[in-house]
Amino acid sequence: MIRLMCSSRVDPLFIFRSFLNGMDGVFIGGCWPGECHYSTEGNYDALTKKYIYKKLLAHIGINPDRLRLEWVSASEGIRFAEVMNDFSKQLIDMGPIGKAEGLTGDELKSRLDVAASLVPYLKLVEREKIRVRFKTEKEYEEYFNGDEFSKLFDEMIAQKVTTGQLIALLRKQDCTIGDIAQALALDRSVVTKQLHASIRQGFIHFDADNKRYCVGSQG
């Protein structure tokens, strides 16, 4: 358990490190909307994080319901117990993280490592491009389930995650496009696009002798 002054101070690294340490779920508890002790309405910042990181978990193949945010005031001990019992049952029904998603231990660790490594970038994107301020939870739900956020996520986050997964895979072994598409469960067209972008940036190169992609620039 990590105690913070405000739910907005939950660092995304806490989430990924918890999963990397074998936790099957992460629960965030915050003050009810309208009852924040800070003028910045920090609980709405926590709500923004919830939507971003649940979508990210889904993108890397992990059940997003393993991350849960609930409003619970300090005086609501009974509600807190009910919520935690419900979440515990939900996690038991899901099964162990990774195994329930059909991932090996190495695959799970690799995906979480990539996501964790991108946290500094994701914080910047959240602050500069995604941070919004609405008056109701319904407005947040509509925005983060809408086309505008989906487009931003795909352009600014999903591509970075895919590139990170691609490089992590190629660090282990040289691969063909087919190998990469199968390992990352991606369409070949998506893999080809990411490969070309990574080659331009000097992250990887194509070894013409063995007809495989490798990490590093061509010497």
Side-chain angles (χ1 to χ4, degrees):
M1 181 176 289
I2 302 175
R3 184 177 180 181
L4 299 167
M5 295 301 292
C6 178
S7 55
S8 68
R9 300 303 299 273
V10 173
D11 193 299
L13 278 176
F14 297 164
I15 298 171
F16 295 116
R17 286 174 181 170
S18 295
F19 289 135
L20 282 166
N21 286 328
M23 300 297 103
D24 292 321
V26 174
F27 172 82
I28 301 171
C31 300
W32 286 87
E35 298 180 6
C36 182
H37 299 287
Y38 303 95
S39 60
T40 54
E41 295 293 336
N43 42 16
Y44 280 130
D45 291 334
L47 187 60
T48 294
K49 287 187 177 75
K50 181 197 81 167
Y51 283 112
I52 293 173
Y53 290 98
K54 281 175 75 78
K55 192 171 182 71
L56 177 54
L57 287 171
H59 182 73
I60 63 175
I62 296 173
N63 192 326
D65 290 337
R66 294 187 182 278
L67 174 62
R68 183 163 172 174
L69 169 68
E70 292 281 354
W71 310 128
V72 185
S73 70
S75 63
E76 294 182 301
I78 294 177
R79 170 173 163 74
F80 178 74
E82 290 174 345
V83 169
M84 295 308 297
N85 286 336
D86 180 69
F87 190 37
S88 296
K89 182 180 182 303
Q90 183 182 9
L91 292 174
I92 291 171
D93 291 341
M94 281 185 204
I97 187 170
K99 183 177 181 181
E101 283 85 357
L103 302 173
T104 65
D106 288 342
E107 287 173 332
L108 175 65
K109 184 179 184 303
S110 177
R111 296 184 186 197
L112 289 170
D113 279 339
V114 167
S117 71
L118 290 173
V119 164
Y121 168 77
L122 295 173
K123 288 180 179 178
L124 179 64
V125 170
E126 178 194 347
R127 184 173 66 250
E128 301 294 334
K129 300 293 184 179
I130 297 178
R131 183 162 294 181
V132 291
R133 183 65 75 202
F134 299 117
K135 294 182 179 180
T136 66
E137 288 185 74
K138 183 178 180 181
E139 289 175 291
Y140 280 89
E141 181 180 4
E142 290 175 349
Y143 173 78
F144 284 105
N145 288 320
D147 293 338
E148 182 179 350
F149 174 66
S150 291
K151 183 179 179 181
L152 277 171
F153 184 90
D154 291 341
E155 292 178 352
M156 308 203 70
I157 298 177
Q159 291 184 21
K160 283 282 188 181
V161 173
T162 301
T163 298
Q165 291 178 309
L166 176 65
I167 293 173
L169 176 63
L170 292 178
R171 283 197 179 115
K172 296 179 180 179
Q173 62 185 49
D174 300 346
C175 296
T176 65
I177 290 179
D179 295 334
I180 297 168
Q182 182 176 4
L184 301 183
L186 295 171
D187 187 270
R188 289 175 67 95
S189 63
V190 174
V191 172
T192 300
K193 180 179 179 181
Q194 292 297 320
L195 284 169
H196 288 167
S198 297
I199 288 173
R200 288 196 301 272
Q201 295 169 332
F203 296 144
I204 66 172
H205 78 273
F206 179 68
D207 186 335
D209 292 334
N210 64 20
K211 295 181 171 52
R212 280 172 167 75
Y213 292 88
C214 318
V215 169
S217 59
Q218 192 163 11

